[in-house]
Amino acid sequence: MREAEISRPALGRIPMYLRFLKGLPPSIRNISSTVIAKELGLGEVQVRKDLGALCGSGKPKVGYQRSELIESLQAFMTGEKVNAVIIGAGRLGKALLDYTGFEDFGISVLSAFDEKISEGNLSEGGKPILPMTEFSEFCSNNNVGIGIIAVPSESAQSVCNIFYDNGIRLMWCFAPCQLYKPADAVIQYENLALSLAHLKMQIK
Amino acid sequence: MREAEISRPALGRIPMYLRFLKGLPPSIRNISSTVIAKELGLGEVQVRKDLGALCGSGKPKVGYQRSELIESLQAFMTGEKVNAVIIGAGRLGKALLDYTGFEDFGISVLSAFDEKISEGNLSEGGKPILPMTEFSEFCSNNNVGIGIIAVPSESAQSVCNIFYDNGIRLMWCFAPCQLYKPADAVIQYENLALSLAHLKMQIK
């Protein structure tokens, strides 16, 4: 429940807080949000709000106990473990499959599936790339919470349907399209071209 | 100048408007924002605002001339052509190099560079992957406006500096880190792990 109240930017600052707190000399046992804000060049109100939402408020005059703060931030960032799978094992799908940054947030990308392959093989990072015929069985045997759509737009709707039919309600879609979905599914779109186009607009 | 006033979500709706307008039967020569909104399931105020910012307002009772509307939307979306280069030719760098969606927004990703290779070769999509020793010369010969940082966090700052020293002021960074930059550089961060973590939070 508490998690829902944390904004995406706040979530993004947790790794920065953790790096800073872990890097302090061992003699520092307590630290205030004022000091953290100053050292990281952030607004004091923002830091107080972030840490308040994540770890409760610090003690007046003393601040937070450093080890406790590290522990709560770490626990929050990892959260409950969730398994994800990818459909689409082209360059993007493979890049996502072997990307190591998801584990920090408690997300394991288990495998990628592709209808263009007929026999399972391993990615460069050693993860399974499997034919679509094995998809349903894989989902039954593993507790898959998130489906990643890494196919071209024209196949994205059928992949979305396959995820849904296999019980997956959260999807992350890299195809630049709009999908029809049942009310209880959540689709988050990641449009890389649009991101880059937005940056381009800042050319003076 | 006008471009700066368009929000990122509005930019993201342009492809949808274009698909819809191009798909209408030839007999339809004029169309109102009311009809567009209804057909696309968008708010009328939003559509009027988007199209007003991009193409001026339609004529009362008549709406927009379809062919003109398509032309302005297309021109806006493509904008001026800009060249981009990537440093880091790992899986992510290669996926970005061969991704075809950037051209729609007038962005050509010309090549990727990597210090781990000593001889140039081609990507699967046929684009050059070059050693870092050729980077400066390449930038002098091509008008490069955007630099894409696709290296691990620990190398991202030095890549940022290299882009800057070669006259590149707009950067798109995939490494999950915070970079120091001169005031006239713009860095847009793309944190994929954070995106997925945000989706994960919506598990009920």
Side-chain angles (χ1 to χ4, degrees), chain A residues 6 14 36 41 56 60 77 81 87-88 99 122 125 155 168 174 182 189:
Chain A
I6 305 301
I14 298 181
I36 297 175
M77 193 167 110
K81 299 267 179 196
I87 293 185
Y99 183 71
L122 293 180
S155 319
I168 297 172
F174 282 81
Y189 294 91

Side-chain angles (χ1 to χ4, degrees), chain B residues 99-113:
Chain B
Y99 183 70
T100 52
F102 301 130
E103 295 283 348
D104 290 342
F105 292 95
I107 301 159
S108 300
V109 181
L110 301 179
S111 56
F113 292 83

Side-chain angles (χ1 to χ4, degrees), chain B residues 15-16 50 60 67 75 158 168 170 175 177 186 195:
Chain B
M16 193 178 10
D50 286 352
S67 60
S158 75
I168 297 171
L170 294 188
C177 60
V186 174
S195 263

Side-chain angles (χ1 to χ4, degrees), chain A residues 111-193:
Chain A
S111 56
F113 292 83
D114 202 302
E115 63 174 11
K116 285 193 289 294
I117 64 167
S118 56
E119 213 173 304
N121 58 71
L122 293 180
S123 69
E124 284 181 45
K127 290 190 178 173
I129 301 175
L130 304 168
M132 276 308 291
T133 48
E134 298 183 21
F135 184 75
S136 290
E137 201 192 328
F138 189 94
C139 288
S140 309
N141 293 338
N142 297 275
N143 185 11
V144 178
I146 295 177
I148 302 174
I149 301 172
V151 295
S153 296
E154 53 274 22
S155 319
Q157 185 65 56
S158 75
V159 167
C160 168
N161 300 346
I162 292 169
F163 279 145
Y164 192 86
D165 292 343
N166 283 278
I168 297 172
R169 295 292 175 264
L170 295 188
M171 302 178 207
W172 195 27
C173 178
F174 282 81
C177 60
Q178 200 70 33
L179 302 173
Y180 296 93
K181 64 167 191 71
D184 62 338
V186 174
I187 302 180
Q188 182 172 296
Y189 294 91
E190 195 77 35
N191 188 330
L192 293 177

